[in-house]
Amino acid sequence: MTFMKMHRLLIFSIMFCISYGQEARPHPPKITTPDVEERIYYKINDEVILACQAEANPKAQYEWTKDNEAITSDFIKQDPNTGELQIATLTRRETGAYQCFASNQIGSKTIKAMSPIITVDLAYLESWDETGLPPPRISAIEGEAVQLTCDNVPACNPPGQFKWYQGDDDSSEVVQNERIAIDAEGTLHFVYVTKSDDLNGKKYQCAIFNRHLNSINLGSGKILEVTKLNPIPDRAPSVLYSKSNQKALIGHYVDIECIFGGKPIPAISWKNNELELITGSSTDKYEFMDTSRRVLRVKNIQESDEGSFTCEGANTQTNSAITALNVTSRPIWEKALSSITVAATKEASMTCQAKSVIRENPPGPPEWFENGASIPNDKFESGKYVFSDNQQILKVTDLVKPDDTTCFQCKVTNSEGFRFGDGCLDVIEPIVITLRPPAVQEITKGDIVNLTVIAETNSPFEIRYKWFFNNQTYDDMPPFVIFNDTSKSAYINTEDLSFENYRKINGTYIRMVYNAHETINITVQVVLKEVAVVGPATAAAPDLWWIALIIGILLLVCVIVIICVVCRRKAQEGVYPLDKKERANDLDPEKDLADSGFHDLSRADDNGMEKKGTPLQFTEEPLSYEDDDSLAEYGDGEDMGKFNEDGSFIGVYMDKKQPAPPVRNGNETQI
Ligand SMILES: *[C@@H]1O[C@H](CO)[C@@H](O)[C@H](O)[C@H]1NC(C)=O
Ligand SMILES: *[C@@H]1O[C@H](CO)[C@@H](O)[C@H](O)[C@H]1NC(C)=O
Ligand SMILES: *[C@@H]1O[C@H](CO)[C@@H](O)[C@H](O)[C@H]1NC(C)=O
Ligand SMILES: *[C@@H]1O[C@H](CO)[C@@H](O)[C@H](O)[C@H]1NC(C)=O
Ligand SMILES: *[C@@H]1O[C@H](CO)[C@@H](O)[C@H](O)[C@H]1NC(C)=O
Ligand SMILES: *[C@@H]1O[C@H](CO)[C@@H](O)[C@H](O)[C@H]1NC(C)=O
């Protein structure tokens, strides 16, 4: 039991600590309910309850407005602590645009966030006026197209749906089929009439249905008299119903309707704004709402749907109608105003950016408000606030905590209506860099590259770090960087690096210091002084350097061995003079040294070249080897010489395959 209690206490404390980090810090209200704008239909005398809720510290107080004004009506009650608004019995008087303010106190200022607009609307359906007149009579001959209009339609909110009934009792609804259709304005169409459509003096009656109220009102009767005709003649298609223009709202759908008269019943086909035939009864974009294809639904309206849709009715002949779809919209957010958290001393950009659909006038510059009221001019005069981009961006400069913590609202309007945005600016303590390394560091091998960055903050958001080196991200550390977790120092000790690795450390190091709301880049440029001085020849061939050095050393050893041999021989016969041709091929060692600037390397190159050079050609001059084995080793060349009495070899040696042994004269070996 005790253990359980302690366990719970522990969990509670942890949770408290976690929530403390988020909640304890004073911050502006963030409205969570309502979160989107909405139109809600109620019936007359309904009770209406609207909720408003915000996350805030200190706790938010709530106030609703109706049609942008404070609410004074006795019939609307609101609770500033819970955010609830109540209309006990709704009448038309209480309908309108409601908006909630959530406010709290930060520093000495009242901060107000505003909710999206909730429109309280009344669903209603009025009665048909009793005209007292007998129903009008419509006469037609069999085969003619006939239209019965629905007259004096009473007000209906939201817009109703039309139906027709036949006879006196209202239970026999007219069923739409290939030959009978009701258009969007309530007119009943007969593609062609037959005697069976004549109700023998009884009337056709139009009705309007309010889906929201689930109620229907019957009115406007018409009597149809049809004269028989035999045979019924064929008739070419005629357009009974089509709209030349239709508005379509971005993101919504639109129904385009086309009714043809004619006999036989014209078959209907559609072409879209790209003049492509619409096939299939339902796709992602198009759907036929009835089997006769009189109603085409264009779904998820986009700007690309703007243009002319063509319907064609065909029996033995054809006819067609065109509906121009005008795609339009209230301002469309490109970047809606939203809440941001920014560190003090920085600047904040509040953005309220919206567009109209293509080919329509763009919205005017947004209207801005601060905490629900217009912004005092001195904020702009002092340069504290700066507008840019046609007032779509409001910059707050040189942020101060908590004075600049505030909420903004914006309203963007175009020909189709407006949109409202809300966003708060929360100013937090900045990250302070207490130690930063020199920005440019010129390094000689043996130096320490100093990359130590130390940062502190009083904000509750944890500081994190990231490394970049020459545009590459390093989750741990760039190559050769040592990080001491105790002292938090970061450095490169160039003394411990090989020359090859040392050459890799130049470039740009970025220590990114960041938290959830701020990023600071500390940049260090490392320049290698030593490498910079040496000419491009060395830098160009870094890989050959070692190979060249090893070859150089090996050749040097060979040369020394051979020199020893020659010296011994010289002691016996004198010096072998270098051939003129050899001199010509040999590079000047002094010049090489000057060119390359690197002693060992130039030496290696020099030797390497000589090895590949023209083989030595002995003419008259004798050359002796210590023994016969060495001679055999150096050539299967034609032996044209002979041995001296003392055993030394005299003659001409012509090498065919292998280079001659490298031989140096005395001067060279002294180097
Ligand atoms: C489409 O409707 C808008 C708004 O009513 C109007 O300004 C515009 O001229 C119309 N465009 C066309 C092509 O009819
Ligand atoms: C690195 O540079 C900073 C600032 O110049 C200096 O305070 C610090 O002592 C240096 N660290 C090392 C290890 O040299
Ligand atoms: C890093 O990227 C920038 C911009 O893409 C480029 O100008 C620069 O040369 C790059 N630096 C290195 C070392 O690759
Ligand atoms: C890290 O820094 C601390 C304090 O400056 C020092 O005592 C320690 O020797 C360093 N550790 C290493 C591995 O260099
Ligand atoms: C490093 O130095 C070399 C030689 O000076 C230079 O060619 C190279 O561009 C430098 N690299 C960077 C990343 O700065
Ligand atoms: C910091 O540097 C990184 C890497 O170059 C870059 O991606 C980032 O945008 C920089 N951030 C800032 C605030 O400059």
Side-chain angles (χ1 to χ4, degrees):
M1 245 6 240
T2 354
F3 174 76
M4 280 288 283
K5 268 185 187 164
M6 278 177 64
H7 190 71
R8 267 188 210 156
L9 192 69
L10 186 68
I11 289 175
F12 179 78
S13 332
I14 290 168
M15 282 172 68
F16 178 78
C17 289
I18 291 168
S19 60
Y20 183 84
Q22 301 292 316
E23 288 299 323
R25 193 176 60 86
H27 64 89
K30 184 176 186 302
I31 295 179
T32 52
T33 313
D35 59 345
V36 286
E37 65 173 43
E38 200 180 354
R39 175 178 290 266
I40 310 174
Y41 290 97
Y42 296 90
K43 297 191 190 90
I44 189 97
N45 296 334
D46 268 359
E47 181 190 36
V48 175
I49 290 177
L50 302 180
C52 184
Q53 255 154 32
E55 286 165 6
N57 185 39
K59 208 172 161 300
Q61 293 282 299
Y62 302 92
E63 190 192 353
W64 286 85
T65 60
K66 175 176 175 287
D67 301 321
N68 287 326
E69 281 171 25
I71 296 170
T72 51
S73 164
D74 292 338
F75 304 99
I76 305 170
K77 302 246 178 310
Q78 49 177 322
D79 185 333
N81 295 311
T82 64
E84 195 173 274
L85 175 138
Q86 190 218 19
I87 304 165
T89 56
L90 182 70
T91 67
R92 203 165 285 199
R93 184 184 54 210
E94 283 86 43
T95 60
Y98 286 83
Q99 205 167 8
C100 162
F101 287 69
S103 58
N104 69 1
Q105 201 86 20
I106 291 179
S108 57
K109 210 164 64 175
T110 302
I111 314 285
K112 276 189 192 176
M114 280 168 88
S115 78
I117 295 167
I118 301 295
T119 304
V120 172
D121 207 345
L122 194 62
Y124 55 85
L125 173 59
E126 294 183 349
S127 304
W128 244 280
D129 285 338
E130 284 298 335
T131 58
L133 299 168
R137 287 172 179 269
I138 312 287
S139 300
I141 304 165
E142 270 194 310
E144 268 185 341
V146 169
Q147 295 159 69
L148 305 182
T149 55
C150 184
D151 303 329
N152 308 314
V153 179
C156 180
N157 192 39
Q161 187 191 346
F162 292 98
K163 291 173 183 289
W164 282 82
Y165 290 86
Q166 53 195 3
D168 291 331
D169 70 292
D170 51 5
S171 62
S172 49
E173 189 180 337
V174 174
V175 180
Q176 298 188 62
N177 57 28
E178 279 204 301
R179 206 173 50 80
I180 298 172
I182 301 166
D183 72 28
E185 277 141 63
T187 301
L188 178 66
H189 298 268
F190 295 90
V191 173
Y192 64 88
V193 281
T194 63
K195 186 65 188 167
S196 65
D197 298 323
D198 187 325
L199 302 179
N200 294 318
K202 289 185 180 167
K203 62 189 177 188
Y204 282 95
Q205 222 175 345
C206 170
I208 187 161
F209 174 66
N210 187 318
R211 190 173 303 217
H212 209 89
L213 299 172
N214 197 27
S215 73
I216 192 160
N217 268 0
L218 235 65
S220 178
K222 299 242 159 113
I223 291 172
L224 176 62
E225 292 169 336
V226 180
T227 309
K228 226 175 153 41
L229 193 65
N230 201 1
I232 305 175
D234 282 357
R235 283 171 195 269
S238 60
V239 180
L240 300 185
Y241 180 84
S242 168
K243 276 180 167 169
S244 56
N245 267 297
Q246 213 167 330
K247 242 184 212 184
L249 297 177
I250 294 265
H252 292 71
Y253 67 78
V254 71
D255 288 342
I256 313 174
E257 198 172 2
C258 226
I259 303 173
F260 287 96
K263 187 176 177 293
I265 294 165
I268 301 175
S269 60
W270 290 84
K271 280 188 187 138
N272 70 8
N273 55 336
E274 316 260 72
L275 297 175
E276 295 158 346
L277 192 67
I278 299 169
T279 55
S281 61
S282 178
T283 63
D284 283 346
K285 193 75 217 171
Y286 305 112
E287 185 176 350
F288 291 111
M289 302 308 289
D290 61 323
T291 51
S292 306
R293 304 197 158 190
R294 285 186 295 248
V295 179
L296 171 70
R297 178 166 292 180
V298 185
K299 297 184 273 193
N300 185 23
I301 293 289
Q302 301 299 321
E303 287 176 342
S304 56
D305 294 319
E306 183 153 288
S308 294
F309 284 70
T310 311
C311 59
E312 188 184 84
N315 47 27
T316 53
Q317 297 177 55
T318 62
N319 201 343
S320 63
I322 293 174
T323 300
L325 208 59
N326 182 352
V327 174
T328 186
S329 175
R330 289 189 294 159
I332 302 159
W333 285 128
E334 288 179 303
K335 195 165 189 290
L337 188 57
S338 63
S339 292
I340 56 173
T341 304
V342 183
T345 72
K346 298 276 162 31
E347 68 172 35
S349 285
M350 307 298 294
T351 308
C352 177
Q353 205 168 15
K355 60 171 186 178
S356 293
V357 300
I358 197 164
R359 290 186 292 274
E360 284 183 18
N361 289 333
E367 265 182 273
W368 287 82
F369 306 91
E370 184 175 353
N371 298 315
S374 53
I375 303 176
N377 233 353
D378 61 325
K379 295 273 198 180
F380 294 100
E381 280 159 8
S382 66
K384 183 77 194 170
Y385 292 179
V386 180
F387 273 139
S388 62
D389 203 3
N390 198 22
Q391 286 195 31
Q392 293 186 112
I393 296 171
L394 172 62
K395 251 186 224 144
V396 183
T397 60
D398 195 18
L399 293 175
V400 176
K401 180 180 183 291
D403 298 26
D404 289 328
T405 296
T406 193
C407 292
F408 292 102
Q409 292 80 34
C410 75
K411 186 178 171 182
V412 204
T413 311
N414 72 2
S415 62
E416 298 303 296
F418 71 88
R419 258 179 223 280
F420 178 84
D422 178 273
C424 298
L425 170 59
D426 188 3
V427 183
I428 57 167
E429 299 280 2
I431 295 173
V432 178
I433 306 294
T434 53
L435 189 68
R436 65 169 77 215
V440 178
Q441 295 182 31
E442 293 194 347
I443 298 298
T444 333
K445 183 139 168 40
D447 287 351
I448 299 279
V449 179
N450 183 348
L451 298 168
T452 306
V453 171
I454 295 179
E456 287 169 2
T457 187
N458 286 325
S459 86
F461 304 99
E462 187 197 345
I463 296 180
R464 293 164 199 277
Y465 297 88
K466 205 182 265 181
W467 284 104
F468 296 91
F469 172 52
N470 288 344
N471 289 355
Q472 226 179 315
T473 312
Y474 291 88
D475 290 330
D476 47 355
M477 246 158 309
F480 317 120
V481 173
I482 297 163
F483 183 71
N484 184 329
D485 218 15
T486 320
S487 61
K488 302 290 170 204
S489 61
Y491 58 92
I492 300 172
N493 187 349
T494 61
E495 199 165 25
D496 299 344
L497 297 181
S498 67
F499 265 103
E500 194 189 355
N501 286 340
Y502 168 66
R503 207 169 287 157
K504 291 177 186 163
I505 66 160
N506 66 327
T508 307
Y509 292 81
I510 299 175
R511 186 81 151 131
M512 188 163 109
V513 184
Y514 66 103
N515 63 20
H517 301 290
E518 190 182 4
T519 301
I520 298 172
N521 277 352
I522 312 287
T523 302
V524 175
Q525 192 82 37
V526 173
V527 181
L528 304 184
K529 260 202 280 189
E530 234 177 21
V531 176
V533 169
V534 174
T538 320
D543 293 340
L544 294 177
W545 195 84
W546 282 105
I547 301 162
L549 187 68
I550 288 163
I551 291 172
I553 289 166
L554 285 176
L555 288 174
L556 203 64
V557 169
C558 281
V559 166
I560 289 164
V561 167
I562 287 158
I563 292 304
C564 289
V565 172
V566 171
C567 284
R568 237 176 85 175
R569 180 82 192 134
K570 187 179 157 192
Q572 296 166 356
E573 286 194 9
V575 188
Y576 154 69
L578 194 66
D579 184 68
K580 270 178 189 153
K581 206 163 183 181
E582 188 189 1
R583 278 190 190 280
N585 284 328
D586 196 10
L587 292 178
D588 179 1
E590 292 305 318
K591 188 170 167 285
D592 278 353
L593 278 173
D595 281 350
S596 67
F598 200 89
H599 190 99
D600 285 341
L601 180 62
S602 63
R603 190 77 214 124
D605 282 342
D606 188 17
N607 285 343
M609 278 186 73
E610 189 178 348
K611 193 184 174 198
K612 282 178 193 160
T614 316
L616 298 180
Q617 290 182 5
F618 300 162
T619 46
E620 313 294 88
E621 303 299 328
L623 173 66
S624 78
Y625 289 95
E626 272 204 313
D627 53 50
D628 296 347
D629 286 352
S630 67
L631 183 69
E633 198 184 321
Y634 275 108
D636 45 355
E638 220 174 322
D639 186 0
M640 295 173 72
K642 55 176 188 183
F643 282 96
N644 264 341
E645 283 140 46
D646 62 352
S648 62
F649 177 75
I650 305 166
V652 183
Y653 178 76
M654 304 288 277
D655 191 355
K656 281 178 182 164
K657 285 182 183 157
Q658 276 186 294
V663 176
R664 290 278 184 178
N665 70 16
N667 282 341
E668 274 183 286
T669 47
Q670 275 165 12
I671 293 167

